[in-house]
Amino acid sequence: MEILIKQFSWLIPVLPLIGFLLNGIPTALGIPLSRRYVSFIACGAMLLSFIMSVCVFSVLSNMPAVERSFTQVLWPWIHVGLLRVDLAFLFDALSIVMALVVTGVGFLIHVYSIGYMRDDPSFGRFFTYLNLFCFMMLVLVLGNNLLLLFVGWEGVGLCSYLLIGFWFKDKANGAAGMKAFIVNRIGDFGMMLGLIILFWALYEAGRPTLVFSEMQSFAGPLSQVPLLGVSAVTIICLLLFVGATGKSAQVPLYVWLPDAMAGPTPVSALIHAATMVTAGVYLIGRLNWLFVLSDYALVVVATIGAFTAFIAATIGFAQNDIKKVLAYSTVSQLGFMMLAMGSGAFAAGIFHLTTHAFFKACLFLGSGSVIMAMHHEQDMRKMGGLRKYMPITFITFLVATVAICGIFPFAGFFSKDEILWQVFNRGSFAGWYYFLWAIGFMGALGTAFYMVRVVVMTFFGKCHAADHGHTPKESPLSVTFPLIVLGVLSAFAGFLNVPYILNSLFGGHSNGLFTDWLSTVIPQVVHHEVHAIEWVLMLLSVFAAAGMMYGSYILYTKRNDLVEKFTQKFQKIYLIVLDKYFVDEFYHSVFVVNLLRLNNAMAWFDRTVIDGLVNLIGKFTVVYSNIIGWCDDFFVDGVVNGLANGVCLLGAKMRRLQTGSIQHYAYVAFAGIVAILIIKLFI
Amino acid sequence: MVENVNFFSDLINEPYLTLLIFLPLMGILILSFIPRHNHTLLKGLTLLIFAIEALISFKVYSLFQNTGMLSEFMVNIPWIKSWHIYYFLGIDGVSLLLIVLTTITMPLTLIGTWHAVQKNVKFYLICLLFLQTGIIGVFSALDLFLFYVFWEVMLIPMYFLIGVWGGENRIYASLKFFIYTMAGSVIMLVAILYLYFQAGQSFNLLELYNYHLSFTAQCLVFLALALAFAIKVPLFPFHTWLPDAHVQAPTAGSVILAGILLKMGTYGFFRFGIPLFPEAMIYFQDYLMIIAVIGIIYGALVAMVQPDMKKLIAYSSVSHMGVVMLGLFSLNITGMTGGLYQVFNHAISTGALFLLIGMLYDRTHTRQIKDYSGLAKLMPAYAICFIVVTLSSIGVPLTNGFVGEFLTLLGTFQVNPIMGILGTTGVVLGAVYMLWLVERIFFGPVKETKGTHKDLNAREIAVMVIIMIFIFWLGIFPKSFLTKIESSAEIILLTMDDERFLTTTEIVE
């Protein structure tokens, strides 16, 4: 059985691909498919893939911890020069966790989509894209080398592009998709450079390869390779991080993610919250051995992460579109994950990735349920009081909110608190990490504030929808079922990784199940003593978050006048935050406009200067030819004609000599004889 | 008498290349006896000849040993004995793939543009057949004079294709194309003749590989040849004939131009420029790489603001060919293999884009981007084909474009990191102009233009499906192709290294 599972483990990514083909080919050819068939194929593929992942997981967990991984080579891909890259999948502790998240959450969102998209005319196309996305995402997490990871990396970007622009008849949606793709390409530019430099640095270190397991064993010599006066590793890490910045929507490349909300809500949940956007975090987790070689790179990662977490949270305060708030919240949470990675708390970051997948997917799906009930209204100011009409949506949304705010014992508490503690505990770099902790802490408080604001504006207060004469209804089972599963996971998944400090209360010495599980890929930090300060920080963050939540609740239910007053008084700040700090406008006026200017200048240059030169040469040749032609007529031909005319003329003159009179000839003969005699005599 | 026996035995032993070259000429002969009004029969016969050609080339592909020798399928028959000119053919991995590319592209182009040409069909088909003879001749000639003959021969049908069946400004474009290329080839002829007399009156390429010229002579002859090839590629700044030729040419002309003719420049550099003049090549390497990189960035920037689809793709060709040349000039095995692989990718993706634009133009008679919007709603199958080809063009992984692009950049990086970095920007810019094009044409509110918006018919879909199969095949299973290219590139690099070694010892003495 075990061998069988190992042999067929490639089915995990391939099953969604089969689903993609089965739905995609008829759809492309315009053959109508029944909704039942489409959803059966698409969801079935995901379910089987999930089951397969569980099987592989159980096989892995039965293996001894030291050798807990296996690789499956499908076929050699690119073998040129020194490069040896295969299409091969790596199954180890980290990749299987990612695969479980992708297929599990993916399956739930597929089921959800049956209900959400049921009236859409492009039902088949939607599931085709969704399956393709899952395939690409699985290639990303399962690829056994960096180039295959890059394949998935670009592939998910492509699917994201297609799904954001899914309702392409609206001009803005297509533009949002394009923006996402191009911003990501800027990130990929860095990633590609990083990948290439890594390859050649490894060549210097003795082994040019892109296979993860082989690279890691050359970490030592690699750290000695210099480049531009610094360690090559630092440059490589920073370049790879540029890629992660694009995909995981970090400052300054986060701008595409809020726009990406133009896509259907299940897409926002799956791609732009639970899976694709975490690819950057996964990349760093996968290459954690590389990043620990460079403290500078880690500091940069942590700093970008902390600022992303904070800035996005503040923007979340002022948004009124429910999906936009959740989008900024996602950016902010991704910032937390990056902060964890940058603090060397890789396992904590991956754990936050996992719990975030649960509660953020739950929130997005919940918002989708609300949007459906509100007939595609996304403005929260027009919602309110929905908890009476949509109890399941309300409760799951609330649970997920509490989870994201980090309240004990919900999932977010375990993951976020661990991150903040590890950041604080790192403390190096002249205390810079303490500062980052403070930023992260404020970001967490901000999260608590704006999330409760969302809950209150949507579910509490007066029902504005009822004013317009329609009563919102709870969504069908295919929508509520995933909500319930994800709600339960948001509530309890945290216990998968109970931190050392809580374990020690009960006499345990574990760093948490999840951290232990990952220890074969991500080396564990050695046990720390329980510091009083850890307790203080933990309690501080829980109570502060709870306080924020309460404050927000009061403000938005009972003291709305205070909110009004605040926005009146600090109108300028409010407007700046409302307009997201004008980052988009800045990018537009600096990059887009100038790029277009450059393009036009170049096009002008091409037309006028280069082509002008070519035409000038052409014209010159013509003019030159005309001159030559004239010369030819006048001189060359002139000489020829002149000669002929001369001969003619001469002939005419000479003719006179032929008089035919014998006397003339005699005179001439006589004159000739005289002449000869004279010459003979005197010379 | 003895020689006559040799003559035939050589041909009988290795008949395939000769067949490939002369079968289209036979076709022209047959075609000339068919009444000019019977379009279907004319086209059918031409297609049949193309199909036979394709089959022969597959046979050659299957017989190809990839032994790592300079060439296989050699035929060497005296042609003009007093001048030491031979009918000398032979192919290596790269020429083999280029020949297969040609024999596949031609029938696909004919099918894809089946109804596009209505006037003077007979002459049009004769031009296509004649082109095929010239192209295959160029890719298989090992005698410099023979090469030059084929190189020139192929100009004539192309000139007519643009000049007779082209757009409004076709006379200007065809003249520009003809004179520009002609100027290059005249200089090339001088260089070839110089080489001939220097090397003791030999046009034999394999012998010339071993002949060592002085450094100055190398530089001069290299520059002369490089100019001819650079015009053909085209490298910046010799590219301005290309947009005009592409825009004015009929669809088939554009496809063949982008798919095959541009590759002759690359092939020239690979087969002649680099191995014949290694020291000159090394001396000029940096400059050539800079020119290639300028082409990549410049082409992309100019492409972005073109209002005409064909012109946009033409400039993207300049950018893509820059990538090809960057790989080739890197003179290391990875980069060269990548660059040469990119030759095929560019042929497939750009050829397919021109085909698609032609299909659209047949329906609506406009190529202006601003005339379109929301086309994905009206022509969904067309949109899918276009987007898949676009992905291949911008090098998304698992399509063919990625493999070549990545290898090129990887190789370039080892030689010259700065050029590598600058070349990589092409990756971003390529995505910008192509996706912007897709977004403007296919997405947004539906806009009805004049003409019909019928989706692709079965014939057109069949052509596109074949192309898409190649896109993914070359992207997912590139190994068998890469091995062939790699061993060819390796041999070329080896010949180079030999000579470099020779010169260093000479200097020591």
Side-chain angles (χ1 to χ4, degrees), chain A residues 491-614:
Chain A
F492 300 114
F495 288 99
L496 286 173
N497 204 24
V498 180
Y500 179 78
I501 182 171
L502 292 180
N503 276 329
S504 65
L505 275 185
F506 304 101
H509 290 287
S510 162
N511 272 340
L513 263 180
F514 195 87
T515 313
D516 280 343
W517 169 257
L518 286 182
S519 62
T520 49
V521 184
I522 300 169
Q524 284 201 35
V525 194
V526 192
H527 291 274
H528 47 76
E529 294 298 309
V530 175
H531 297 292
I533 192 149
E534 191 176 356
W535 281 111
V536 173
L537 289 179
M538 183 188 285
L539 293 174
L540 179 68
S541 65
V542 171
F543 283 111
M548 271 316 228
M549 289 173 76
Y550 181 71
S552 173
Y553 175 74
I554 296 293
L555 267 181
Y556 285 96
T557 47
K558 298 183 180 140
R559 299 301 304 272
N560 245 321
D561 53 319
L562 277 181
V563 181
E564 294 283 322
K565 255 187 213 158
F566 182 82
T567 46
Q568 299 273 312
K569 192 158 183 190
F570 299 100
Q571 201 168 15
K572 269 195 187 140
I573 298 176
Y574 172 74
L575 284 178
I576 289 174
V577 175
L578 183 68
D579 281 319
K580 310 147 203 165
Y581 302 119
F582 296 102
V583 175
D584 273 326
E585 287 76 4
F586 173 76
Y587 284 172
H588 187 264
S589 60
V590 172
F591 296 114
V592 179
V593 171
N594 285 326
L595 180 66
L596 277 176
R597 265 190 207 143
L598 180 67
N599 290 337
N600 282 317
M602 282 296 175
W604 175 86
F605 178 77
D606 199 63
R607 243 185 355 261
T608 323
V609 180
I610 297 188
D611 210 27
L613 211 63
V614 173

Side-chain angles (χ1 to χ4, degrees), chain B residues 106-245:
Chain B
M106 297 300 278
L108 281 182
T109 311
L110 181 62
I111 302 172
T113 59
W114 197 253
H115 297 298
V117 166
Q118 294 294 347
K119 77 170 179 193
N120 233 334
V121 174
K122 188 164 159 180
F123 186 39
Y124 171 77
L125 295 171
I126 288 175
C127 281
L128 289 186
L129 286 166
F130 202 45
L131 255 180
Q132 174 130 340
T133 293
I135 295 165
I136 293 181
V138 164
F139 289 143
S140 49
L142 289 181
D143 184 282
L144 279 178
F145 190 82
L146 191 66
F147 170 80
Y148 181 76
V149 169
F150 283 125
W151 178 278
E152 291 295 288
V153 150
M154 152 253 103
L155 269 182
I156 300 158
M158 198 62 215
Y159 169 72
F160 283 120
L161 273 183
I162 301 174
V164 177
W165 295 276
E168 285 162 14
N169 209 358
R170 57 181 182 266
I171 301 298
Y172 170 74
S174 57
L175 262 179
K176 196 172 178 181
F177 163 76
F178 195 85
I179 292 174
Y180 219 135
T181 344
M182 197 65 203
S185 28
V186 168
I187 297 168
M188 178 164 84
L189 182 63
V190 174
I192 288 178
L193 289 177
Y194 178 82
L195 205 60
Y196 170 75
F197 287 114
Q198 282 290 309
Q201 304 205 335
S202 170
F203 285 119
N204 185 323
L205 186 65
L206 301 189
E207 281 172 19
L208 288 173
Y209 278 167
N210 297 322
Y211 179 74
H212 185 251
L213 274 174
S214 74
F215 178 68
T216 333
Q218 276 198 23
C219 287
L220 287 174
V221 185
F222 176 79
L223 282 181
L225 278 181
L227 183 69
F229 298 142
I231 289 172
K232 203 83 183 176
V233 168
L235 276 174
F236 176 89
F238 306 109
H239 64 273
T240 52
W241 64 269
L242 186 74
D244 284 313

